[in-house]
Amino acid sequence: MSTQADTMTAQAARPSNAVAFFTIVRKEIRRFMRIWVQTIVPPAVSACLYMLIFGGLIGSRISDMDGFRYMDYIVPGLIMMAIIINSYTNVSSSFFAAKMQHFIEELLVAPVSNVTILAGFVIGGVARGLTVGLLVSFVALFFSDIVPVNLFITFSMAVLTSTMFALAGLINAVFAKSFDDISIVPNFVLTPLTYLGGVFYSISLLPQPWQTLSAFNPVLYMVNGFRYGILGASDIPVMHSFGVVLVFNLVFAGVAMTLLHRGIGIKS
Amino acid sequence: MNALSLRGVAKTYGDQTHALKGIDLDVQQGDFFALLGPNGAGKSTAIGIITSLVNKTAGSVTVLGHDIDVSREAAKALIGLVPQEFNFNVFEPVEDTLLNVAGYNGIRRSVALKRTEQYLKRLDLWEKRRTPARNLSGGMRRRLMIARALVHEPRLLILDEPTAGVDIEIRRSMWEFLAELNEQQGTTIILTTHYLEEAEELCRNVAIIDHGEIVERGAVAELLSRARVETFVLDVADAARCVDIDAAPFTLRAREDGKLEAAVPQGHTLNGLFAVLQGAGVEVTSMRNKSNRLEEFFLKLVHREDVDAQGQR
């Protein structure tokens, strides 16, 4: 009897974090796919309108930017904008809902490490960011005929950027006390940073001190790194872009892990 | 090896509120244990600490030999929790709630699917497996939380007021289910409840917690033997007249609802009470316990008017 009990204890003492990780990722992906009309379609429609209005109607009257057709120039930025907003929003809204409805406790009482919880939510956010990014890329095919000149840089910059903003979304959700708190950052921080991050223009066009000030906008590095992967042209050296996004990833991951470890916002 | 050991467990919220003041507690493997106490006594805080939902201020917690500070994941794998408040994703189908929790506990999907079917059927929720949890009745939601807590087949099941707000029929069926789980599978069960009848019916051992301290502990049978007085409510024709009867050693009191309350001290029988009443020409048409014996013991122990009022409802 005791042998059986000890065996059961030993089995239970070896919970698989890999299974837990895939469970969280699966749940997160199913969540945003279940409500695809709210999560996947709107960014594609917005990108379509941007391309139609800024790229097609207004862009046709704008001369080449850094040697590229204006439409071709803005496509990488529009894809990156969709990736950033969706990676962020997915994690912030999902984690916050779990916190507010208390079903985050299902994870907290289970033998799941904080790294697994963080990785699961972040990969869910990255999955949505990349899904929307792919859809916007598909839409872009109707307006532009560009193809990535360096697939590795394009893909790695997309993944690193979406990881960074998924981490930021989780940090936001940990501190948020209401749904207003999770909409403030996308509306009043992310959107301005993205618009001012070189999506629609080259910073070389900006007068001083705006050109210098732009260098403090992290989104500028991501948009330009991604643009380098697609067009082979950028305002920023591509290694600087990778450096910035890597540093932000490390800092945000450290902050998120500390918050989960201390149970801030989720434990008493 | 104990299923659960707490040593000097304390929790202070901010600088002032001492929710737990360094409690020690042991629960043996296979026990059905009641943790009782009035609202705000510290029961839920203790459960929160054991299940890692609350960070303790001091002390140690060991679950089946695993210290939660040293091998937290191993300890958590052995615990199933049915919390007081509903805490599942209301938009998710019932089946997904169990599958997800099985996954969080490292159970492969093929096994998780079988266990989900097994426990949903056992708790009469299989027909509702595709229903979003928000569409379930209160009783079904309680059963869902029990099924969810069992899907990884924990060795220690903790239920924080599992039958609160459910009707008597469902409550009885839950009792049967929990007793079966304890007896047949050997699952150690810790229960907090406001229905002291529930604790008396199900549990072998009990600890009573008040103001963050354990004020009493022991076997339920032993505590009941220490309940010195049992009170009964009798239907009689004229309760007001009865209070003048010399009924010693019994104490009679007329209630506002027109019934007679009779306190029977330990060591005296109901036959004696009826003999006194019959001698005074009082006819008793019906009788019931005012509250169960454990409840009377509990109320005397915590000495609280608010709890007293709750006990009489």
Side-chain angles (χ1 to χ4, degrees), chain A residues 11 14-23 26, chain B residues 98-117 151-152:
Chain A
Q11 283 171 348
R14 292 197 299 269
S16 166
N17 268 284
V19 175
F21 169 74
F22 286 115
T23 304
R26 179 193 178 96
Chain B
L98 265 69
L99 286 171
N100 286 340
V101 169
Y104 300 156
N105 281 277
I107 296 165
R108 282 180 291 112
R109 195 161 176 84
S110 57
V111 179
L113 284 164
K114 284 179 192 157
R115 295 238 189 117
T116 296
E117 182 176 348
V151 75
H152 64 292

Side-chain angles (χ1 to χ4, degrees), chain A residues 1 4-6 8-9 12-17 19-21 23-24 26-27 30 34 101-114 261-264 266-268, chain B residues 1 11 13 29 51-55 64 66 72-74 76-79 81 83 86-93 96-97 99-101 103-109 148 155:
Chain A
M1 181 67 188
Q4 190 188 0
D6 291 345
M8 286 167 71
T9 306
R14 292 197 299 269
S16 166
N17 268 284
V19 175
F21 169 74
T23 304
I24 300 170
R26 179 193 178 96
K27 177 179 72 77
R30 285 186 70 177
R34 192 170 55 220
Q101 289 184 50
H102 298 286
F103 58 86
I104 191 71
E105 290 172 6
E106 290 178 342
L107 275 166
L108 298 180
V109 301
V112 188
S113 67
N114 288 331
H261 182 67
R262 292 187 182 172
I264 292 170
I266 50 176
K267 288 187 186 181
S268 301
Chain B
M1 183 167 50
K11 175 65 183 177
Y13 291 102
Q29 279 194 66
T51 55
S52 303
L53 289 174
V54 174
N55 291 326
L64 288 149
H66 298 282
R72 184 176 292 264
E73 288 173 31
K76 288 202 281 187
L78 299 165
I79 302 175
L81 172 67
F86 298 123
N87 70 341
F88 41 75
N89 186 343
V90 293
F91 298 106
E92 249 170 16
D96 287 3
T97 300
L99 286 171
N100 286 340
V101 169
Y104 300 156
N105 281 277
I107 296 165
R108 282 180 291 112
R109 195 161 176 84
R148 182 185 62 175
R155 302 276 309 282

Side-chain angles (χ1 to χ4, degrees), chain A residues 92-172:
Chain A
S92 62
S93 58
S94 177
F95 196 87
F96 182 71
K99 194 174 92 165
M100 289 308 285
Q101 289 184 50
H102 298 286
F103 58 86
I104 191 71
E105 290 172 6
E106 290 178 342
L107 275 166
L108 298 180
V109 301
V112 188
S113 67
N114 288 331
V115 173
T116 307
I117 295 175
L118 181 64
F121 273 95
V122 167
I123 296 299
V126 170
R128 176 163 155 196
L130 295 185
T131 302
V132 173
L134 272 175
L135 191 61
V136 174
S137 303
F138 177 74
V139 170
L141 292 177
F142 294 94
F143 298 90
S144 170
D145 53 4
I146 55 171
V147 286
V149 296
N150 189 321
L151 264 178
F152 174 75
I153 290 176
T154 305
F155 184 70
S156 51
M157 187 54 74
V159 170
L160 285 171
T161 303
S162 59
T163 304
M164 173 188 152
F165 282 95
L167 285 164
L170 189 134
I171 294 167
N172 184 186

Side-chain angles (χ1 to χ4, degrees), chain A residues 210-223:
Chain A
W210 302 111
Q211 203 175 118
T212 305
L213 283 174
S214 293
F216 291 97
N217 179 357
V219 176
L220 180 79
Y221 296 86
M222 291 143 213
V223 167

Side-chain angles (χ1 to χ4, degrees), chain B residues 18-23 41-42 208-216:
Chain B
H18 301 288
L20 285 178
K21 299 169 183 170
I23 63 168
I208 298 176
I209 188 167
D210 191 27
H211 291 101
E213 292 174 298
I214 291 182
V215 292
E216 191 60 73

